Amino acid sequence: MTDIPDDLFAYDPLDDEATAADTDILVGDPLATARALDAADPLAHYRERFVGVAAPGAAGAHSAPDLGAASPVVAYFDGNSLGRPTRASVERVHRFLVEGWGGRLIRGWDEEWMELPFRIGDALGETALGAAAGQAFIGDSTTVLLYKLARAAVDSLPERSEIVLDTDNFPTDRYVLDGIARERGLSLVWIEADTESGVTPEQVAAAIGPRTALVVLSHVAYRSGFLADARAITRIVHDAGALVLWDLCHSAGSVPVDLDEWDADLAVGCTYKYLNGGPGSPAFGYVNRRLQRRLTQPIHGWMGVRDVFLMGPEYQPADGIRRFISGTPPIVGMLALQDTVAMIGECGIDAVRAKSVDLTTFAVRLADTWLTPLGVTLASPRDPARRGGHVTLSHPAMREVTARLWERDVIPDYRDPDGLRIGLSPLSTSFEEVAVGLAAVRDVLGELITE
């Protein structure tokens, strides 16, 4: 892998005081602009806490050899799909294997592990979900938690017969809800969502009624990055007497979430994206305190009962949030996310969001200048207030562009139709990385067009 030359961008230098939101940001050299933005970034120092990142001002440079890290990629645009590991997490997992598991053995359950899903859940709730203690937990996969909480919700309203969802929600949400509808003899009511934006309060109001039991929506759309008006939608759903379950997979750790303030009923989300929990790390669930005694989740397991070691003949659900746990918690899988939760606690989710807006705004401006002339369109909201932490760029060649970029160690991902997603995790991504990566997109797409 070779270093990226400073003269990659054929523009004159730009004033060092430029910001990502400036309308004339690309008058000069975008690489110089990116480096100026990095120099002014109050969160830039968090980047060095991640394994495999390049040193500032040296795209492609080696990093973290003490941790055995491979050469870093030129640009990582997939933090919204799988976040980078933190250095602290490498140390935490190693320490756990040697001291926690190796040293304490089964005593670890009594000493810490039994309560770890709730302790981490409370920390996550405080720093990233806007949830008071006793309402969030770390549990199963996102798919399983979606099933458990959605089934509990519809079962609590047996007089109602409809589930409302949208056509562009993530496949797991749609598949799980279809299965629940078949199990319980319910009907699905579909909101036709624009794949380049998302579901609006007006659409929800038109879709719900006296038969609605549950509405399930994503706070940030996985394809376009559209940021839904969760507060308004929750109020509309409640006015109809129904419950709402928010999918926070593309929200948690990237945009502010205020579950308690929204008066949300239920939420689920994964921890391996912006929370950097690692591949397949367990999801989190949220159940509003006012619903915890009312709801009965359908997967009755020994860890969700009042007295785990009573080993009684009947399932007696625990009081509080523990009743939504089923089997033995995946302790090793939930270790790493604690370090990112702690970082968010240090800097604050509002600061994370501010950098996210700057990163995506910078990416959009670069795309406008470099990619629009090549036929690329923006398949995400242009208004940053309506956009989450990623942007999608559309062109018929993007599937092949993505494959060729991976060969060059530039890592976005692809989503139909024709979408190249640029996922920018605020704590681990630099502005220089954005500029270098989008220059590669420009070059690869230009090559394909001229072949």
Side-chain angles (χ1 to χ4, degrees):
M1 186 185 309
T2 58
D3 289 346
I4 304 298
D6 286 354
D7 60 357
L8 178 66
F9 305 91
Y11 298 95
D12 294 330
L14 184 65
D15 186 274
D16 285 346
E17 295 183 358
T19 67
D22 288 341
T23 56
D24 61 348
I25 191 168
L26 297 179
V27 171
D29 179 354
L31 186 56
T33 300
R35 289 176 174 169
L37 291 169
D38 284 330
D41 174 18
L43 303 186
H45 64 284
Y46 284 100
R47 183 169 157 80
E48 65 190 28
R49 300 192 191 185
F50 290 84
V51 175
V53 299
H62 287 261
S63 137
D66 54 311
L67 297 179
S71 298
V73 298
V74 172
Y76 189 59
F77 288 165
D78 239 342
N80 65 319
S81 190
L82 176 65
R84 292 180 180 272
T86 67
R87 292 171 175 268
S89 293
V90 174
E91 297 167 359
R92 180 189 294 274
V93 172
H94 180 267
R95 186 170 61 250
F96 175 84
L97 294 176
V98 174
E99 301 174 8
W101 178 11
R104 303 311 299 160
L105 296 171
I106 201 170
R107 293 173 292 185
W109 286 108
D110 288 336
E111 294 168 351
E112 179 182 17
W113 305 339
M114 288 288 284
E115 297 304 316
L116 196 60
F118 312 108
R119 181 164 62 80
I120 299 176
D122 285 347
L124 177 62
E126 179 182 5
T127 60
L129 304 181
Q135 299 177 104
F137 64 98
I138 309 299
D140 311 283
S141 69
T142 306
T143 300
V144 173
L145 285 184
L146 271 168
Y147 174 77
K148 290 164 70 170
L149 298 190
R151 258 290 302 270
V154 298
D155 287 352
S156 74
L157 294 168
E159 72 281 5
R160 293 177 172 238
S161 59
E162 294 178 350
I163 300 173
V164 175
L165 66 163
D166 69 282
T167 54
D168 198 45
N169 211 336
F170 192 74
T172 271
D173 301 60
R174 292 183 277 111
Y175 302 161
V176 166
L177 295 172
D178 179 67
I180 290 173
R182 293 173 187 271
E183 286 177 354
R184 310 307 284 172
L186 306 175
S187 299
L188 298 179
V189 176
W190 294 94
I191 296 172
E192 291 290 334
D194 185 341
T195 60
E196 295 187 5
S197 59
V199 178
T200 66
E202 293 76 16
Q203 288 178 301
V204 174
I208 63 175
R211 291 189 295 274
T212 305
L214 176 67
V215 177
V216 179
L217 298 170
S218 288
H219 183 220
V220 174
Y222 84 99
R223 200 189 311 263
S224 70
F226 177 84
L227 180 62
D229 188 343
R231 181 180 288 101
I233 289 173
T234 298
R235 183 173 60 250
I236 289 167
V237 173
H238 287 174
D239 287 346
L243 299 176
V244 62
L245 191 163
W246 286 104
D247 182 332
L248 302 178
C249 285
H250 284 276
S251 306
S254 174
V255 301
V257 173
D258 294 300
L259 290 171
D260 287 353
E261 185 179 335
W262 301 343
D263 197 25
D265 301 307
L266 305 160
V268 298
C270 55
T271 62
Y272 45 78
K273 300 182 190 297
Y274 298 107
L275 297 175
N276 307 305
S281 59
F284 65 85
Y286 165 90
V287 182
N288 192 299
R289 193 183 310 279
R290 62 180 160 73
L291 293 173
Q292 289 176 12
R293 292 183 65 84
R294 170 180 159 189
L295 300 186
T296 301
Q297 60 100 347
I299 304 179
H300 297 176
W302 75 304
M303 281 285 174
V305 299
R306 293 177 184 171
D307 186 341
V308 172
F309 292 103
L310 181 63
M311 307 292 183
E314 296 178 350
Y315 175 78
Q316 296 182 337
D319 295 328
I321 199 67
R322 177 175 283 280
R323 66 169 52 203
F324 297 95
I325 294 286
S326 296
T328 304
I331 299 300
V332 177
M334 67 180 72
L335 294 175
L337 71 98
Q338 296 175 83
D339 299 298
T340 296
V341 170
M343 283 193 284
I344 296 171
E346 288 177 17
C347 64
I349 191 63
D350 290 337
V352 171
R353 171 60 173 166
K355 182 175 179 182
S356 175
V357 168
D358 280 347
L359 285 169
T360 58
T361 298
F362 187 49
V364 169
R365 297 291 166 82
L366 289 172
D368 286 344
T369 299
W370 287 339
L371 303 180
T372 297
L374 300 176
V376 173
T377 58
L378 179 64
S380 296
R382 186 166 290 276
D383 179 2
R386 295 264 54 86
R387 187 174 66 225
H390 69 271
V391 296
T392 299
L393 305 173
S394 183
H395 188 281
M398 283 310 190
R399 184 186 292 273
E400 178 61 23
V401 168
T402 302
R404 294 194 185 189
L405 286 170
W406 279 40
E407 293 174 356
R408 303 184 187 193
D409 285 333
V410 174
I411 315 295
D413 66 8
Y414 173 84
R415 290 291 182 269
D416 280 328
D418 303 329
L420 182 132
R421 286 197 312 180
I422 307 296
L424 305 174
S425 186
L427 293 178
S428 61
T429 305
S430 68
F431 291 92
E432 181 176 348
E433 190 173 7
V434 175
V436 169
L438 282 171
V441 175
R442 174 200 64 191
D443 293 345
V444 169
L445 180 57
E447 292 167 7
L448 279 169
I449 290 172
T450 57
E451 283 181 358

